[in-house]
Amino acid sequence: WPGSGGSRGGIAMDLFGDLRRMNKRQLYYQVLNFAMIVSSALMIWKGLIVVTGSESPIVVVLSGSMEPAFHRGDLLFLTNFHDDPIRAGEIVVFKVEGRDIPIVHRVIKVHEKGNGNIKFLTKGDNNEVDDRGLYKEGQNWLEKKDVVGRARGFLPYVGMVTIIMNDYPKFKYALLAVMGAYVLLKRES
């Protein structure tokens, strides 16, 4: 960065200097451009929710409990069509009451009752025991309402960026600041 003297303060001064040199019309244009990017991303996300039937159509594997099927940092694509029955062997993403983060594990047992009610038990492929210890107090089985989605595809290690940003919040804020500054200061040619 020319003129910055190699310091972070110099870089910040360059950014503010660029902002001051912009006229109001350019600044408004850049702010609107940034708002369009954010709203487009939100529309794509909401569209994926409608198409997949899942409240969270894309998730990142956060632990090694599903190795060797999925590794930490793999990006999973989910669907959650309610008329599609859950079967043993399927990999599901579920939420447990009292926990914020969904869990990715395999269905190992399914109990179907005559009235159509289905209950099932899950376990991580890399875990020694089933997930009853993860469920809420007194709960021994999951129900369809607990399922966020079922794994339909994945991209290996693409989600490591998310894990790094969660593990190092300062990195996340720095990356967001740089991206925001780039969008605001980028001039059309």
Side-chain angles (χ1 to χ4, degrees):
W1 295 65
S4 67
S7 71
R8 281 191 275 173
I11 292 171
M13 293 306 290
D14 282 350
L15 291 177
F16 289 121
D18 283 348
L19 277 175
R20 274 190 301 242
R21 285 191 291 278
M22 279 186 183
N23 64 34
K24 285 185 180 181
R25 186 180 191 145
Q26 285 175 317
L27 185 60
Y28 291 144
Y29 175 77
Q30 295 303 83
V31 169
L32 281 174
N33 197 13
F34 183 71
M36 283 178 35
I37 290 170
V38 170
S39 62
S40 294
L42 289 173
M43 285 190 298
I44 290 169
W45 182 255
K46 288 296 184 181
L48 283 173
I49 289 172
V50 170
V51 169
T52 63
S54 175
E55 68 185 62
S56 186
I58 300 172
V59 295
V60 175
V61 177
L62 298 176
S63 75
S65 68
M66 279 303 292
E67 291 179 3
F70 298 120
H71 294 73
R72 189 170 192 253
D74 287 354
L75 192 69
L76 299 181
F77 300 100
L78 310 178
T79 62
N80 194 22
F81 302 117
H82 291 285
D83 55 342
D84 197 9
I86 292 174
R87 299 287 173 226
E90 281 189 303
I91 296 171
V92 296
V93 177
F94 61 92
K95 275 190 173 178
V96 176
E97 204 174 299
R99 291 180 178 254
D100 295 333
I101 298 171
I103 300 167
V104 179
H105 282 175
R106 189 177 306 275
V107 175
I108 58 170
K109 288 184 185 174
V110 176
H111 282 285
E112 294 183 58
K113 297 195 176 182
N115 64 1
N117 192 10
I118 297 173
K119 293 186 177 196
F120 54 94
L121 180 64
T122 56
K123 176 185 169 298
D125 290 355
N126 202 20
N127 293 349
E128 295 293 322
V129 296
D130 62 44
D131 291 342
R132 286 188 173 126
L134 297 175
Y135 303 160
K136 75 177 181 180
E137 184 81 22
Q139 182 180 9
N140 289 322
W141 301 90
L142 291 177
E143 296 178 25
K144 193 112 169 165
K145 67 177 179 55
D146 300 314
V147 175
V148 173
R150 298 180 223 189
R152 298 296 186 201
F154 77 102
L155 287 173
Y157 302 111
V158 174
M160 284 307 288
V161 174
T162 303
I163 291 173
I164 290 168
M165 288 196 309
N166 284 335
D167 288 350
Y168 304 100
K170 288 180 183 178
F171 175 73
K172 174 173 50 178
Y173 296 124
L175 184 63
L176 289 172
V178 167
M179 288 172 30
Y182 174 75
V183 169
L184 286 174
L185 299 174
K186 185 183 120 210
R187 290 198 170 85
E188 297 295 319
S189 336

